[in-house]
Amino acid sequence: MKTFNYGKDELQALDLYQPKEWNGKTLVLIHGGGWWQGDKGKEKEVATGLAIEGYQVAALNYRLATQAKNLFPTQDEDVELPTLGFLKISQISRLITSLLLVAQQVDI
């Protein structure tokens, strides 16, 4: 697992889990927490299991709505696919050809 920053805020980070044999698909795990709590670390077990099955997995954090500067739609902007375009141009050695978005929401 490697951690990458995709923005200037320390919470704009993701953990990338690389499989030994990639099946060509990438999953993005967004932790639950109603946009104001939670952390990507709670996805470690699920991300590791998916990587074992051949998926490249990005478990990401987003700026939490705990301060006036991070009110909605800040979190929405952090998880938009264009923001995650960095996955294609960063230090990742594998080309992403397919992107599936898995969103976990709680307190809804």
Side-chain angles (χ1 to χ4, degrees), residues 37-51:
Q37 65 180 353
D39 184 80
K40 61 185 169 46
K42 74 182 229 178
E43 305 301 335
K44 183 177 183 175
E45 186 176 336
V46 172
T48 300
L50 290 168

Side-chain angles (χ1 to χ4, degrees), residues 35-87:
W35 299 129
W36 61 275
Q37 65 180 353
D39 184 80
K40 61 185 169 46
K42 74 182 229 178
E43 305 301 335
K44 183 177 183 175
E45 186 176 336
V46 172
T48 300
L50 290 168
I52 289 170
E53 296 298 320
Y55 294 94
Q56 177 176 259
V57 182
L60 67 99
N61 269 350
Y62 46 82
R63 292 171 286 175
L64 300 174
T66 57
Q67 302 171 15
K69 68 178 184 175
N70 288 334
L71 297 177
F72 188 84
T74 301
Q75 299 75 29
D76 192 41
E77 293 166 357
D78 282 356
V79 300
E80 285 180 352
L81 294 180
T83 301
L84 295 176
F86 113 95
L87 286 168

